C-alpha cells in the first residue's frame, strides 16, 4: 500500500473501508487532539477520556463513508462526535459503547502505566493552533464547533449580526483548514 501520511483526511476516510491502514493513519493524525487534548480537558479523567476516545473513533469509522469535505476540517467533525459522545455519556451516567459494540470491539483495559502516560502528556499545546487565530475568529470557531452553537445563538453570544458570526467562523475554519492541509501540527 502506498504511503498514506500525505493523504488528505477526506482521502483517508474514503479509503478506510478498503483496509485498516487508511483509518489507522487518520487515527494517529487526530488521536492526541481528540483524546488527550479535548476529552481529557473536558472530563479531567484520563480513564474516561480513553474510553470515550475509543468510542469516538469507532463512531468515526462507521460514519467515514458519509464524511464529505466542507468548510470545516475533519478535526472539527471528530470534535463534534466527541462532544456528542461526551454529552450522551454524561446524560446516561455511563460511557457509551454503541459504536464499539457495532464493530465488535473488545474493551481494552487501561493499566496504571497507560494512565500515567496519558496524564503526563502536556495537552496545553494541542489546541494551540486554535489560539493562534484572531480573537473574534477563535471565539466564533470554538462556540460553533466545540460548543455546537447555532449561528443565531452564536451571533447573540458574540453580540454581532448572524452574517458577521458566519463570516468569522468561515474565516477561522479556512485558516485551520490551511494549517492542516500544510501538514501543520499543534505547537
Amino acid at each position: 500500500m502506498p504511503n498514506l501520511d500525505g493523504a488528505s483526511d477526506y482521502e483517508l476516510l474514503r479509503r478506510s473501508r478498503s483496509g485498516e491502514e487508511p483509518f489507522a493513519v487518520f487515527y494517529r493524525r487526530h488521536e492526541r487532539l481528540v483524546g488527550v487534548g479535548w476529552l481529557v480537558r473536558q472530563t479531567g479523567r484520563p480513564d474516561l477520556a480513553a474510553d470515550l476516545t475509543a468510542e469516538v473513533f469507532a463512531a468515526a469509522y462507521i460514519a467515514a463513508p458519509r464524511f464529505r469535505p466542507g468548510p470545516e476540517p475533519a478535526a472539527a467533525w471528530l470534535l463534534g462526535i466527541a462532544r456528542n459522545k461526551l454529552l450522551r455519556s454524561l446524560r446516561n451516567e455511563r460511557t457509551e459503547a454503541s459504536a464499539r459494540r457495532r464493530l465488535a470491539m473488545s474493551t481494552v483495559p487501561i493499566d496504571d502505566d497507560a494512565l500515567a502516560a496519558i496524564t503526563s502528556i502536556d495537552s496545553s499545546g494541542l489546541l494551540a493552533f486554535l489560539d493562534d487565530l484572531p480573537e473574534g475568529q477563535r471565539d466564533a470557531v470554538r462556540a460553533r464547533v466545540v460548543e455546537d452553537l447555532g449561528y443565531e445563538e452564536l451571533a447573540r453570544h458574540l453580540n454581532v449580526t448572524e452574517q458577521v458570526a458566519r463570516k468569522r467562523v468561515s474565516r477561522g475554519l479556512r485558516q485551520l483548514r490551511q494549517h492542516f492541509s500544510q501538514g501543520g501540527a499543534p505547537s
Side-chain angles (χ1 to χ4, degrees):
M1 181 167 276
N3 184 340
L4 296 171
D5 289 335
S8 71
D9 287 337
Y10 171 69
E11 182 67 18
L12 293 172
L13 290 170
R14 187 182 67 75
R15 295 174 67 181
S16 67
R17 288 300 182 168
S18 65
E20 292 178 9
E21 185 58 24
F23 195 79
V25 172
F26 180 79
Y27 173 85
R28 285 190 302 271
R29 188 178 288 175
H30 296 292
E31 187 271 335
R32 289 189 67 169
L33 169 69
V34 173
V36 177
W38 195 78
L39 285 168
V40 167
R41 287 172 58 178
Q42 294 299 311
T43 65
R45 291 187 43 207
D47 57 332
L48 178 58
D51 283 346
L52 286 168
T53 300
E55 182 64 14
V56 167
F57 281 96
Y61 181 77
I62 291 168
R66 295 187 311 271
F67 178 80
R68 297 291 173 259
E72 298 175 348
W77 175 69
L78 278 172
L79 289 172
I81 293 171
R83 179 183 178 278
N84 291 337
K85 295 295 182 182
L86 175 60
L87 291 175
R88 197 167 295 126
S89 292
L90 292 172
R91 188 172 35 252
N92 296 335
E93 297 180 355
R94 62 180 171 78
T95 304
E96 185 180 9
S98 60
R100 287 178 285 168
R101 277 193 304 274
R102 188 169 164 193
L103 292 173
M105 290 175 60
S106 60
T107 302
V108 177
I110 309 244
D111 60 21
D112 290 338
D113 291 337
L115 285 177
I118 291 169
T119 305
S120 70
I121 295 172
D122 177 14
S123 64
S124 61
L126 290 174
L127 297 176
F129 57 85
L130 190 58
D131 292 334
D132 289 341
L133 292 176
E135 182 180 0
Q137 291 176 15
R138 178 184 61 236
D139 294 344
V141 169
R142 223 179 232 139
R144 176 73 180 119
V145 175
V146 178
E147 298 170 23
D148 201 27
L149 295 182
Y151 284 107
E152 185 178 326
E153 187 177 5
L154 174 61
R156 281 194 307 272
H157 176 74
L158 297 175
N159 199 28
V160 297
T161 66
E162 191 172 329
Q163 183 177 7
V164 169
R166 286 179 183 276
K167 196 59 151 172
R168 286 183 184 175
V169 170
S170 174
R171 287 180 179 155
L173 291 174
R174 185 178 326 113
Q175 284 187 17
L176 291 175
R177 189 170 46 256
Q178 288 171 345
H179 176 78
F180 283 114
S181 69
Q182 296 167 353
S187 52

